[in-house]
Amino acid sequence: MSNIVVDKSKVPWWVSNVIVPLVNLTLALLVSGLFVFIAGENPIEAVKLIIYGSFGYIQGFAYTLYYTTNFIFTGLAFAVAFHCRLFNIGGEGQAYIGGLGVFLVAINLSFLPVPIVWLLAIFGAFLFGAAWAYIPAYLQSKRGSHVVITTIMFNFIASSLMIFLLVDVIRDTNQMAPHTVKLPEEIWLPSFEAFSGILGIKIRYSPLNLTFLLAIASLFFVWFLVWKTKWGYEMRAVGHNTQAAIYAGISPHKNIIIAMCISGGLAGLLGVNEILGVSHKIQAGFPAGYGFTGIAVALMGRNHPIGILPAAFLFGILYQGGSEVTFEMPNITRYMFVAVQGLIILFSGALENLFRPQIESFFVRRLNREVNA
Amino acid sequence: MVSPILELTNINKSFGHVQANKNINLKINKGTIHGIIGENGAGKSTLMSIVFGLYQANSGSIKINGKEINLRSPRDSIINGIGMVHQHFMLVENFTVLENIILGFEGETVFGEKLQKAKEDLEKLCQTYNFNIDLDATISDLSVGFRQRVEILKSLYRGAEILILDEPTGVLTPQEVDELFKILRSLKDEGKTIVLITHKLIEIMDLTSEVSVMRQGEMVGHTKTEDTSKEQLAEMMVGRSVLLRVDKKKIKKGEIIFKVNNLSVKDDLDVTRVKDVNLEICSGEILGIAGVTGNGQTELLEALSGIRKVESGSIKLFGEKISDQNNFLNPRMLKEKGLAHVPEDRQRMGLISDFKAHENLIFGYHDQEPYSKSAILNNKEITEYSNKVMQEYDVRPNSPNLITSNFSGGNQQKIILSRELNENPKVLLVGQPTRGVDIGAIEFIHQRLIDMRDKGAAILLASVELDEILSLSDRIIVMFDGKIVGEKENKNVTDRELGLLMAGVA
C-alpha cells in the first residue's frame, strides 16, 4: 500500500488533468514500442509511419477525423452516464440500434426535403439509441439490476436482433450478404471531398463527412447539459451522493433514466456517421468496437468534453496511423493495434492511479518550495 | 522510575490549513485508565489515529515502553500492542464473530487446526473478562453493545496491551454503558492500559485515574482524576467558564404549524424506529428533542421532512395532511411550503462534498428562480448570492468555487445553514446543528436559530448535546426507544432529570 498522502486541494488542476494522463499515455506507448521491437520492427519507424499516416497527407488526415467523429460520440455517451455514476458499457449495442433508427427514418421519409430528412434521421438515431438504453436504465432504477451487467447483455441482444433483422426482415433481397439496400443518393450527408470540390481542391475518397460537425456540436451540448443546466446538476448530485439527492428532493430514479437515455442517444449518433455519412446502408456489425473504445476515450478524457476531444483524436490517430503501419510493416498485424489500444486503456484506466500519488506529491512539494523560497 | 507505556512528544498534525494537533505531549502509565477529554473537533480522535497508525504525524515522536517506534500503518501499531475501537465499528456484517476476529490473521489457507485453536483461545479470553459472546453469532444479529465487545475482543486477541476507545458510549444505552465499564475495569485489573477518548465528563469522573484535556488541537492540562472536578474539567475544555444558556426573548407562541398523530416509522432494515409518536410544534417556539443517538430521532426528522415514508399515523403541516401510510409529499414540495431541513449528517445528506461551495449553496433550491430559469443555471446570480451569504455567515475561506470537502466541518455546516435559513422558512427541522463545529461557530449558529424563532418560525431541534437542548428549547421532549418518554416546559429542568428520561429509567 502506498503511504503517500497528498492534500488534494493543493494539487494544481493541470497536474491531475494534463500531466498525469500524459505520463500514463507515454508509458503505454513505450510498452507498445517494446512489443513492436519484439515483433522485429523498428519502433521509431513505426511512430513515423503513424504520424505520416494520420497527418502526412490530406486523405489520411480525413480518415483520422472520421474515426475521431465516432470516438467523440461513444466517448461522450460513456461520460454522460458516468456523471450519474452509471457505467454504461452498452454503447456498442446502443450505436447498433441507433443505426437502425437512422436507416428506418431515412428510407421511409426520403421524400421530404433533404435537410429535414437529415434532422429527422439524427433524431431517429438518438431516439433508438436512447430507447435501447432505457430498458437497462429502468431495470437499474426500479429493480436494482446493475447497469454494467444489463448493458453488456444488451450488447449481445442488440447484435442478435440486428442480425435477425438484416437476414430476415430488412435485407437487400437482391443479394446474399446481410446488409440493407442503399439509401437514395440525394439524402446522403455531404462528404469531405464534396466540400473540398466546391472549394476547387480535388482529393481522393475519404469517409469524413458532415457528421464531424455534429460531433463537435455534441461536445458543446454535453458540456452545456452537464454543467450549465439543472438537469446536469441533478444528474451529478445523484451520481455523487444519492442520499443527499433524495434529501434535496431530487429523484434518483428519474435521473438514472435521463442520464442513460442521453448516453444511449449519443451512442446512437454513431449510426448517423456510419449510415447517413459513409456506407449508406446497415451492414452487420458496423459499430465495430467503437462503443467499447469510447469507454477508454471517456476515461482518458476524464469524462469532460474538453478531454474527450483530444482523447478521441488520439484514438483516431492510432486507428488511421495503425492501419498505415500494418500496411507497411508486415510483421505488425491489425491485432497489434488492438493490443496498443488495450495498453492505453490499461494505463489510463485501470492503472490510472499507479503514478498519480507520486506525480502529484512531486508537484506539490516543488510548488511549495517555490512559494517558500 | 518506570518509563510510561506510551509516550508522545511534540506531535504535530495538520490537514490543509487546519492544524488538528499542536505540540502534543502525553504520557500514559501502564495499567491505568487514562481519559482524554475535549470538545468535538478538539483533535482527540486525530491524535489517537496517529497513535494507531492511521495517520502519520507531521513531526514528533512516539515511544512505547521507552523505545521509539515508527508507526506507518495500523499493522505496525497492532504489532506494537496497540489496539483501537473506533466510533464506527470495523466489522464485516455478514461474518460471524470468530471470522471477524481472525480476519487478516487467519494463519492458514484451509481452516482447520488453527481456527480451532483460535476459537479455544478466544473462549478463554471471553471467560477471563466476562464477555459473554457467542463466537458463532453473525455480527448483523448482534446489538451495538455486543459489536463493541467484539471489537475489544479482536484487539485483545491480537495482543493489545494498550486499548484505545474512541467515544465508546455515544451509541450505547445506559445498561450497555455499565457493562462496558465493568469490562474495562476488569481489563485494567489484568494489567492492560486503556485510553478513553470522550467528551462526556461523567465518564471521566467514573472510570479514569488520570485525565488529559484537549482544546482546539492543544493539550491544555494533565491531572489525576481524584484531584479535579467536573466543573474544573469543563472550564479547561472550553477555555472559559461555561455560559450555556443563550439569552433569548420571551416566547411568543403562535398557532400550531406541525401536528404529528400516532406516527410510526421504520428504518431501512424494516425495524420500527419511531413508535406511536404524537407532537405539536407552534410558530415562534423551539421544540427540543433530547435522546441518546439511535432512539428514533433520525427517522422522525426524515419522516417529517418527506424523505422517509411513514408506516402509520399522519403528519399535518399548516393543517394540511402531508404524509400518511399511503402517500407523502417529497422534500421539494415541502420546501415550497416553507419547510427547511438541516439534516443530522451533513456528509451523508446535507452536502455533496465533491461539489463546489456555490453548487451546495443552491442545493435543493437549484430549480428555483433566480438560480435557474427554464432549466438553465444562472451562474451570475448563483455567484452573487454565494458571495453574499458566505460573507453573511462568515464561511471561511470565502471562495464559492472551492470544492466543499476542503472546508472544515464547521464551515460546511455554515454552508448548509445559510442555504436553509436564507429563504426565511416558516418551519425548520434541525438535527445536530453544531456537531463537530468549533465554539465560535456554535454561538453564531445558536443565535441564528433564536433569531428564526423570534421571527415566528416553528423549529424542531434534535440534538444529542443536552446543553444545546437546554439552552435553546422552549419545550423539551425526550425520546427513548422510538417513543416520547417525557415532555417538559424548559423551566428549571435539570440535565439530571433529562438524563434519567433519556436512559429510559424515569
Side-chain angles (χ1 to χ4, degrees):
Chain A
M1 216 174 78
S2 161
N3 277 314
I4 300 179
V5 182
V6 186
D7 182 357
K8 287 276 170 202
S9 63
K10 283 193 186 143
V11 180
W13 65 270
W14 48 268
V15 171
S16 25
N17 292 324
V18 180
I19 304 275
V20 173
L22 281 182
V23 169
N24 288 334
L25 180 65
T26 313
L27 280 169
L29 293 181
L30 282 178
V31 178
S32 309
L34 196 67
F35 282 174
V36 172
F37 181 73
I38 292 169
E41 299 283 355
N42 183 344
I44 309 279
E45 286 303 313
V47 170
K48 279 186 191 161
L49 275 172
I50 289 177
I51 291 173
Y52 174 75
S54 48
F55 293 101
Y57 55 104
I58 199 152
Q59 192 199 12
F61 187 61
Y63 262 95
T64 305
L65 290 184
Y66 152 73
Y67 290 124
T68 306
T69 308
N70 282 343
F71 291 134
I72 288 175
F73 288 135
T74 54
L76 287 176
F78 183 83
V80 167
F82 189 77
H83 281 293
C84 201
R85 285 300 175 276
L86 296 160
F87 251 69
N88 180 12
I89 311 292
E92 191 80 3
Q94 289 141 16
Y96 214 164
I97 301 293
L100 182 66
V102 178
F103 183 80
L104 290 180
V105 169
I107 199 107
N108 289 316
L109 301 176
S110 56
F111 57 86
L112 289 170
V114 174
I116 292 179
V117 178
W118 291 346
L119 281 179
L120 291 175
I122 290 169
F123 184 68
F126 196 92
L127 197 70
F128 272 58
W132 200 247
Y134 173 81
I135 309 168
Y138 177 83
L139 293 174
Q140 167 82 66
S141 80
K142 294 285 179 203
R143 322 283 322 180
S145 321
H146 206 289
V147 89
V148 169
I149 311 291
T150 46
T151 49
I152 290 177
M153 293 204 245
F154 267 69
N155 286 336
F156 286 97
I157 301 174
S159 171
S160 307
L161 177 69
M162 290 300 285
I163 295 293
F164 162 70
L165 292 176
L166 285 173
V167 171
D168 286 335
V169 185
I170 51 174
R171 180 164 57 91
D172 177 2
T173 42
N174 291 325
Q175 47 160 356
M176 295 302 292
H179 59 71
T180 61
V181 292
K182 279 206 169 192
L183 293 169
E185 197 168 343
E186 316 84 81
I187 62 167
W188 294 0
L189 278 177
S191 64
F192 178 53
E193 62 267 22
F195 269 116
S196 37
I198 294 167
L199 297 172
I201 309 162
K202 205 166 157 48
I203 56 164
R204 282 184 297 159
Y205 169 79
S206 82
L208 183 62
N209 62 75
L210 200 61
T211 320
F212 180 69
L213 297 181
L214 179 66
I216 299 296
S218 302
L219 287 166
F220 278 105
F221 166 74
V222 168
W223 170 77
F224 191 77
L225 174 84
V226 173
W227 280 278
K228 296 288 156 191
T229 67
K230 73 167 190 191
W231 297 310
Y233 178 90
E234 294 191 354
M235 267 160 46
R236 286 184 291 132
V238 171
H240 280 300
N241 186 342
T242 313
Q243 282 280 346
I246 295 170
Y247 153 79
I250 298 168
S251 156
H253 302 300
K254 199 177 100 188
N255 280 286
I256 285 172
I257 287 176
I258 293 178
M260 278 299 285
C261 286
I262 293 173
S263 171
L266 286 164
L269 293 183
L270 185 137
V272 177
N273 194 24
E274 288 297 320
I275 286 153
L276 211 54
V278 183
S279 65
H280 313 298
K281 60 182 183 247
I282 304 180
Q283 288 169 305
F286 77 83
Y290 292 115
F292 292 116
T293 313
I295 301 168
V297 170
L299 288 177
M300 244 197 102
R302 304 193 66 75
N303 293 300
H304 195 291
I306 291 173
I308 287 173
L309 180 62
F313 189 54
L314 174 81
F315 274 85
I317 293 169
L318 278 178
Y319 259 53
Q320 168 55 17
S323 54
E324 194 85 12
V325 173
T326 52
F327 198 65
E328 299 282 335
M329 293 181 161
N331 283 339
I332 308 233
T333 63
R334 205 166 68 76
Y335 298 105
M336 195 78 144
F337 273 86
V338 179
V340 173
Q341 274 178 47
L343 283 167
I344 292 180
I345 297 174
L346 186 70
F347 276 93
S348 63
L351 300 181
E352 212 235 323
N353 288 324
L354 190 60
F355 298 105
R356 180 177 290 278
Q358 283 84 345
I359 296 171
E360 287 183 345
S361 75
F362 171 77
F363 278 100
V364 168
R365 263 182 285 130
R366 260 193 80 109
L367 292 169
N368 279 349
R369 208 174 301 150
E370 275 167 34
V371 171
N372 294 335
Chain B
M1 194 194 137
V2 196
S3 56
I5 187 162
L6 178 67
E7 183 174 4
L8 306 180
T9 322
N10 284 326
I11 298 281
N12 278 294
K13 173 76 188 171
S14 49
F15 298 100
H17 302 292
V18 185
Q19 188 153 19
N21 286 157
K22 286 175 225 164
N23 292 323
I24 303 281
N25 291 303
L26 178 65
K27 282 181 193 159
I28 290 173
N29 295 318
K30 190 169 161 53
T32 58
I33 299 183
H34 192 116
I36 296 182
I37 193 161
E39 292 188 295
N40 291 328
K44 310 175 300 260
S45 294
T46 307
L47 184 66
M48 286 305 125
S49 297
I50 290 170
V51 174
F52 191 55
L54 283 171
Y55 300 138
Q56 273 82 51
N58 300 115
S59 64
S61 79
I62 302 172
K63 282 185 193 161
I64 288 184
N65 288 324
K67 206 176 84 209
E68 181 150 352
I69 52 164
N70 189 8
L71 300 171
R72 299 188 65 86
S73 74
R75 220 178 167 93
D76 291 344
S77 302
I78 292 167
I79 290 166
N80 282 296
I82 301 172
M84 183 158 178
V85 177
H86 297 266
Q87 238 167 327
H88 306 282
F89 304 142
M90 313 275 179
L91 296 170
V92 185
E93 294 252 328
N94 52 356
F95 275 17
T96 65
V97 174
L98 182 61
E99 285 168 332
N100 264 292
I101 290 173
I102 61 164
L103 191 64
F105 292 78
E106 297 90 349
E108 57 189 348
T109 316
V110 178
F111 291 140
E113 233 174 274
K114 288 196 173 156
L115 187 73
Q116 204 50 45
K117 172 97 176 36
K119 199 169 174 185
E120 280 161 21
D121 291 348
L122 282 167
E123 270 163 4
K124 247 178 258 165
L125 271 176
C126 283
Q127 262 174 8
T128 318
Y129 300 113
N130 243 328
F131 270 36
N132 198 11
I133 296 180
D134 175 8
L135 292 175
D136 295 319
T138 308
I139 295 294
S140 54
D141 296 337
L142 295 180
S143 71
V144 181
F146 273 98
R147 290 183 197 199
Q148 191 174 51
R149 268 184 233 182
V150 175
E151 286 279 12
I152 296 174
L153 188 58
K154 187 162 83 179
S155 294
L156 293 176
Y157 176 68
R158 292 176 183 180
E161 285 302 317
I162 307 169
L163 193 62
I164 304 167
L165 294 122
D166 189 0
E167 302 278 0
T169 58
V171 288
L172 300 184
T173 64
Q175 292 87 342
E176 285 175 323
V177 172
D178 288 345
E179 293 282 314
L180 173 70
F181 284 8
K182 251 185 242 164
I183 288 177
L184 294 183
R185 288 198 186 95
S186 72
L187 284 170
K188 187 191 82 173
D189 294 343
E190 294 289 322
K192 308 272 182 199
T193 309
I194 291 164
V195 182
L196 179 74
I197 307 175
T198 181
H199 64 271
K200 295 180 187 159
L201 293 163
I202 198 158
E203 292 171 5
I204 294 288
M205 301 310 290
D206 246 27
L207 200 61
T208 62
S209 48
E210 277 154 65
V211 54
S212 303
V213 185
M214 286 187 79
R215 182 173 72 228
Q216 291 176 10
E218 285 175 278
M219 201 52 99
V220 291
H222 304 278
T223 163
K224 285 215 181 316
T225 312
E226 54 193 28
D227 298 340
T228 184
S229 66
K230 271 208 279 189
E231 288 70 26
Q232 211 181 346
L233 285 176
E235 210 174 310
M236 276 162 88
M237 266 166 71
V238 185
R240 56 182 157 80
S241 48
V242 193
L243 171 75
L244 285 164
R245 305 260 162 167
V246 181
D247 295 325
K248 55 182 185 186
K249 289 185 204 150
K250 210 166 165 282
I251 182 167
K252 269 188 287 178
K253 204 160 159 174
E255 72 216 270
I256 296 173
I257 304 278
F258 238 124
K259 193 167 168 57
V260 174
N261 279 325
N262 303 88
L263 183 75
S264 293
V265 183
K266 284 185 172 175
D267 67 5
D268 295 333
L269 302 170
D270 227 25
V271 180
T272 308
R273 300 307 293 266
V274 177
K275 297 170 186 165
D276 209 19
V277 162
N278 288 293
L279 58 87
E280 284 171 5
I281 313 168
C282 300
S283 72
E285 77 163 341
I286 298 181
L287 175 64
I289 304 181
V292 178
T293 311
N295 276 294
Q297 304 97 312
T298 309
E299 289 76 13
L300 178 62
L301 279 190
E302 288 183 0
L304 293 180
S305 58
I307 296 170
R308 196 171 281 282
K309 191 174 150 301
V310 311
E311 201 52 37
S312 63
S314 69
I315 304 171
K316 281 185 181 161
L317 180 64
F318 303 117
E320 180 197 349
K321 192 180 278 182
I322 56 164
S323 207
D324 60 22
Q325 73 265 42
N326 298 319
N327 43 50
F328 65 105
L329 294 186
N330 71 29
R332 194 172 296 187
M333 294 164 166
L334 293 177
K335 257 182 198 127
E336 279 161 20
K337 293 189 183 298
L339 179 136
H341 177 201
V342 178
E344 287 185 316
D345 188 336
R346 58 175 167 264
Q347 302 287 352
R348 194 172 62 91
M349 227 179 226
L351 292 167
I352 294 186
S353 27
D354 298 329
F355 270 18
K356 291 176 177 168
H358 70 83
E359 289 178 304
N360 271 314
L361 281 165
I362 59 164
F363 192 48
Y365 300 90
H366 56 275
D367 57 344
Q368 295 179 7
E369 288 194 42
Y371 311 130
S372 71
K373 223 173 194 174
S374 48
I376 294 165
L377 296 174
N378 187 340
N379 262 359
K380 203 174 134 248
E381 287 285 347
I382 296 170
T383 313
E384 257 171 40
Y385 151 78
S386 304
N387 276 325
K388 199 189 90 196
V389 294
M390 285 176 89
Q391 215 145 47
E392 211 176 295
Y393 280 79
D394 193 27
V395 180
R396 285 178 228 176
N398 185 353
S399 27
N401 281 324
L402 193 64
I403 302 284
T404 310
S405 56
N406 291 329
F407 288 88
S408 71
N411 282 305
Q412 290 182 7
Q413 188 70 3
K414 284 184 188 168
I415 289 178
I416 299 180
L417 279 162
S418 62
R419 176 183 75 208
E420 297 300 321
L421 299 188
N422 187 56
E423 306 281 320
N424 278 324
K426 299 193 194 84
V427 194
L428 184 58
L429 307 172
V430 195
Q432 319 298 351
T434 54
R435 181 184 276 172
V437 172
D438 59 82
I439 298 239
I442 289 177
E443 281 183 334
F444 177 84
I445 290 168
H446 283 175
Q447 198 49 53
R448 289 280 161 167
L449 293 176
I450 298 280
D451 290 347
M452 295 300 298
R453 159 192 177 263
D454 291 345
K455 277 191 216 161
I459 301 179
L460 181 69
L461 167 74
S463 174
V464 290
E465 306 291 338
L466 260 188
D467 295 337
E468 187 162 78
I469 297 282
L470 281 167
S471 60
L472 291 179
S473 313
D474 299 304
R475 200 151 54 90
I476 300 171
I477 57 176
V478 182
M479 278 187 88
F480 176 74
D481 191 27
K483 295 190 210 73
I484 293 181
V485 292
E487 177 174 347
K488 292 189 183 300
E489 291 295 322
N490 190 6
K491 282 179 198 140
N492 308 321
V493 185
T494 62
D495 46 3
R496 205 185 133 66
E497 260 175 89
L498 292 179
L500 288 173
L501 285 168
M502 281 163 67
V505 287

